[in-house]
Amino acid sequence: QVEVVESGGGLVQSGGSLTVTCTASGVTFSRYDMGWFRQTPEKDREFVGSITYNGRNTNYGASAKGRFTVAKDNTKSIMYLRMDNLEPDDTAIYYCALRYMSPVQTLYDAGEYDYWGQGTQVTVSS
């Protein structure tokens, strides 16, 4: 059984930083491309960033570029999302997702993913 778990969310002040993590069990972690998405009640699920199975290539959504960093450690089966210079508009539930490795680079598409976590709440106060 596959289990995907996000952690590290919380309350942070505007301009601050936060790192959330994602672990997955029941899969060969090193064979999965991974992504971060976020969602609020007012907006559709939004692509935040992604990383290829081997950790070599990353991509970011427009709102994350220059502020967020995705990293993956296959030896520890963990993925990170480091968020700097946070703004109130970054407030959302952040979800981790996994897709079996593929040469097709469509990791911005939520429909491409095989497994999802339950999400972790990030709240940025002004």
Side-chain angles (χ1 to χ4, degrees):
Q1 184 175 353
V2 178
E3 185 176 25
V4 181
V5 179
E6 303 93 339
S7 61
L11 175 64
V12 61
Q13 288 189 330
S14 182
S17 298
L18 190 68
T19 297
V20 293
T21 62
C22 174
T23 59
S25 58
V27 295
T28 303
F29 192 84
S30 61
R31 294 181 182 175
Y32 281 79
D33 301 320
M34 298 181 72
W36 287 100
F37 291 78
R38 67 186 186 185
Q39 190 165 18
T40 67
E42 297 80 23
K43 297 181 181 178
D44 292 334
R45 191 162 293 193
E46 177 188 6
F47 172 67
V48 175
S50 64
I51 191 164
T52 52
Y53 68 98
N54 54 12
R56 292 178 183 171
N57 295 294
T58 56
N59 275 296
Y60 297 92
S63 61
K65 280 182 181 176
R67 300 188 300 129
F68 294 4
T69 304
V70 180
K72 188 175 191 263
D73 187 341
N74 285 334
T75 65
K76 298 180 180 178
S77 297
I78 191 167
M79 178 176 68
Y80 305 90
L81 175 65
R82 164 81 178 188
M83 300 180 284
D84 294 315
N85 195 21
L86 283 160
E87 304 165 351
D89 282 349
D90 295 316
T91 296
I93 299 175
Y94 283 72
Y95 295 92
C96 168
L98 283 74
R99 182 190 78 171
Y100 193 77
M101 60 185 181
S102 168
V104 179
Q105 293 302 308
T106 52
L107 292 173
Y108 53 84
D109 183 353
E112 286 286 316
Y113 290 84
D114 304 309
Y115 304 107
W116 290 82
Q118 294 300 307
T120 186
Q121 176 71 48
V122 173
T123 302
V124 184
S125 63
S126 56

